Amino acid sequence: MSTPIVRFAPSPTGRLHVGNVRTALMNALFAQAEQGTFILRIDDTDLERSTAEFEQGIKDDLSWLGVTWGRTFKQSERFGMYDAAAAKLKADGLLYACYETSDELDRQRKLLRVAGKPPVYNRAALELTDEQKSAYEAEGRTPHWRFKLSGGTVTWTDMVRGDQTIDMSSLSDPVLIRGDGSYLYTLPSVVDDIEAKITHVIRGEDHVTNSGAQIEIFRALSDHLPQFAHTPLLVGADGKSLSKRLGSLSMLELREQGIEPMSIASLLAKIGTSDSVEIRHSLEALASEFSFDKIGRAPARFDERDLTALNAKLLHETHYDAVADRVPGDAAFWNIVRANIEKISDVDDWADIVLKPMAGEIAEEDKDFCHAAADFLPDTVLPETWSELIGYLKTETGRKGKGLFMPLRLALTAQAHGPSMDDMLVLLGAEKAKARLHGETA
Ligand code: GLU
């Protein structure tokens, strides 16, 4: 295979969400696995809805995930190329002017449906004479432009879906240019894929039918034709579409919730594949395991609970050096508390308990017991001190199990759960531990 050139082509009309990030990752991981090039194309032909802020937001989100691009460009800077391609198609009789209003088209579709026929455009505009066209224009109508499909079949071997056949006669000729002169995504995308020599178009399966039309446009414009890979869409844990919930599943939102980039990347790269969902610590690791053959045909289930669990797993395995600038305390503190957090900000709660002055919780009936514990503690606590303390108190008081250790944990940390007390006692140090066991703020 020649070196792949792929592209991720978001529209800057919103922030990235788990759905389009999955497409971005599939492109990025494939490119990385094959030492190819990843292009970031900004699909901003919709000048009304596209904003510079969203474009920047998309770039920030990708960078945060660790996805880098070898080249980036915006469609809004390339109208000259699209106009030239449109002119060629017009000259070849493949792009034709239509004057129907949307009401007229609606009516036609309804009539076809009532007659039990598929609502395919009737190509009446192909029969218009120059006089009729001039008459429409004199009426103030501006044409929209449709691409003339072959009416035959288009076939390709999809890298995910296998052999595909689309019966083009069942489709309406697609509108490539609207009445106001603006481009729909279909033509600019093909023109850009030809110019950038894209070798693989990797995108969601909602584009399968578009691919039929786009393949015919590729053939009309050049000898270049990429391969296609259409990945199944994401659904929620309940099997239902995520479309209504995508706002809350934006990278921005998940990042604010404390989800780490590799938790998201690991989940999105593995769901819907034959690999099990496990944490990976780098995109390189995910890339080395990437294969289109592993992607199944069924929708990929995205469950936020998996994301939280993976995030906790990732943090439990994360070395101090990787988080040193984001957490309070030192390596010893991190190594002890990391197993008790789900997101990095949870570290702050443990920092408050270990590093800041506070009083623990001591029930009236446990006061003497805690005093005895304080008196037993040596001036320097070691990892074995906790078990020595427990052994001593067990013999002295006859307490056992929870009644033995829980009053101490509560007195020292004010929490019923947490890191092992052997470690916590060392982190707190003798002075603080004694004071807290005496009921003081320390
Ligand atoms: N901007 C298009 C979209 O987001 C790109 C589709 C494609 O990858 O061709 O749907």
Side-chain angles (χ1 to χ4, degrees):
M1 178 165 50
S2 60
T3 325
I5 304 175
V6 298
R7 86 296 194 278
F8 171 53
S11 298
T13 52
R15 290 294 286 247
L16 293 184
H17 52 68
V18 290
N20 42 29
V21 162
R22 183 156 178 268
T23 302
L25 278 172
M26 296 290 165
N27 278 282
L29 297 178
F30 175 64
Q32 196 157 355
E34 305 290 333
Q35 277 103 46
T37 302
F38 175 94
I39 294 177
L40 174 62
R41 185 180 90 199
I42 303 293
D43 280 9
D44 59 349
T45 51
D46 183 344
L47 299 172
E48 303 263 289
R49 290 171 60 227
S50 301
T51 71
E53 288 73 31
F54 283 135
E55 182 187 335
Q56 192 53 51
I58 288 169
K59 290 179 174 167
D60 291 347
D61 289 341
L62 288 176
S63 302
W64 178 72
L65 281 163
V67 173
T68 53
W69 45 94
R71 180 185 171 198
T72 181
F73 59 83
K74 297 154 62 125
Q75 291 193 319
S76 60
E77 289 164 353
R78 297 156 71 90
F79 285 120
M81 285 169 52
Y82 311 145
D83 292 346
K88 174 171 165 49
L89 294 178
K90 284 178 193 171
D92 293 345
L94 289 172
L95 190 60
Y96 61 96
C98 304
Y99 292 86
E100 295 89 346
T101 62
S102 43
D103 282 349
E104 286 166 354
L105 291 170
D106 272 350
R107 226 171 303 132
Q108 282 180 16
R109 277 192 290 265
K110 272 186 205 132
L111 286 174
L112 286 168
R113 268 195 212 101
V114 170
K117 294 190 184 140
V120 175
Y121 175 60
N122 63 16
R123 291 186 161 173
L126 279 175
E127 313 299 327
L128 292 176
T129 62
D130 286 346
E131 289 76 48
Q132 286 170 312
K133 289 183 191 175
S134 307
Y136 276 133
E137 287 180 29
E139 251 179 52
R141 295 196 192 197
T142 49
H144 55 276
W145 297 80
R146 287 186 190 263
F147 178 75
K148 195 173 161 206
L149 296 172
S150 67
T153 53
V154 168
T155 59
W156 75 91
T157 303
D158 195 279
M159 296 182 78
V160 175
R161 298 165 60 87
D163 289 341
Q164 302 290 295
T165 302
I166 304 219
D167 172 10
M168 303 311 282
S169 66
S170 67
L171 303 177
S172 295
D173 288 341
V175 176
L176 301 190
I177 306 175
R178 297 185 186 90
D180 64 3
S182 65
Y183 287 97
L184 280 103
Y185 127 93
T186 321
L187 177 65
S189 181
V190 171
V191 171
D192 288 333
D193 287 346
I194 293 169
E195 180 278 327
K197 300 192 174 59
I198 298 300
T199 58
H200 298 77
V201 170
I202 305 165
R203 57 188 180 184
E205 67 181 10
D206 49 332
H207 285 290
V208 169
T209 311
N210 287 344
S211 291
Q214 286 187 316
I215 286 172
E216 293 205 331
I217 300 173
F218 271 106
R219 291 195 174 127
L221 291 174
S222 88
D223 294 334
H224 180 82
L225 186 64
Q227 284 188 268
F228 288 85
H230 291 93
T231 58
L233 300 182
L234 288 189
V235 292
D238 54 3
K240 293 202 184 121
S241 159
L242 281 176
S243 56
K244 293 210 182 75
R245 296 177 43 221
L246 286 174
S248 64
L249 294 172
S250 69
M251 285 309 97
L252 188 64
E253 187 79 18
L254 295 173
R255 186 175 172 172
E256 278 168 4
Q257 283 170 24
I259 304 294
E260 303 291 319
M262 279 314 298
S263 310
I264 296 176
S266 299
L267 185 63
L268 291 177
K270 294 297 183 189
I271 48 174
T273 76
S274 52
D275 282 347
S276 51
V277 175
E278 280 166 22
I279 203 76
R280 293 287 177 267
H281 291 273
S282 67
L283 294 183
E284 294 79 53
L286 287 173
S288 71
E289 295 166 348
F290 179 85
S291 165
F292 286 116
D293 297 341
K294 293 181 179 175
I295 302 175
R297 289 290 301 272
R301 277 179 194 253
F302 175 84
D303 188 340
E304 286 114 301
R305 285 166 301 186
D306 294 340
L307 199 52
T308 318
L310 279 179
N311 204 58
K313 185 89 196 311
L314 172 110
L315 292 171
H316 302 172
E317 294 173 1
T318 297
H319 195 274
Y320 174 68
D321 293 344
V323 289
D325 54 349
R326 298 169 62 201
V327 298
D330 56 11
F333 170 73
W334 170 252
N335 290 341
I336 289 168
V337 301
R338 67 180 177 177
N340 287 273
I341 59 174
E342 282 189 341
K343 49 191 195 302
I344 203 115
S345 58
D346 295 344
V347 172
D348 296 338
D349 299 337
W350 289 107
D352 285 348
I353 291 166
V354 173
L355 306 172
K356 291 202 183 146
M358 62 154 239
E361 288 168 13
I362 305 180
E364 195 54 44
E365 66 272 21
D366 292 325
K367 274 190 172 160
D368 290 343
F369 177 73
C370 288
H371 283 309
D375 292 342
F376 173 81
L377 282 185
D379 288 340
T380 308
V381 284
L382 300 169
E384 58 270 25
T385 307
W386 173 257
S387 52
E388 287 166 7
L389 172 68
I390 290 294
Y392 164 77
L393 290 171
K394 191 174 181 179
T395 323
E396 284 299 300
T397 66
R399 289 195 188 205
K400 44 185 193 286
K402 215 172 167 181
L404 179 59
F405 71 81
M406 190 54 90
L408 303 175
R409 183 183 272 285
L410 287 172
L412 290 166
T413 69
Q415 301 293 318
H417 302 278
S420 89
M421 286 308 295
D422 314 57
D423 294 328
M424 280 302 274
L425 194 57
V426 175
L427 274 186
L428 288 168
E431 199 179 325
K432 209 172 236 189
K434 284 183 195 217
R436 286 189 190 173
L437 288 166
H438 282 307
E440 293 158 17
T441 298

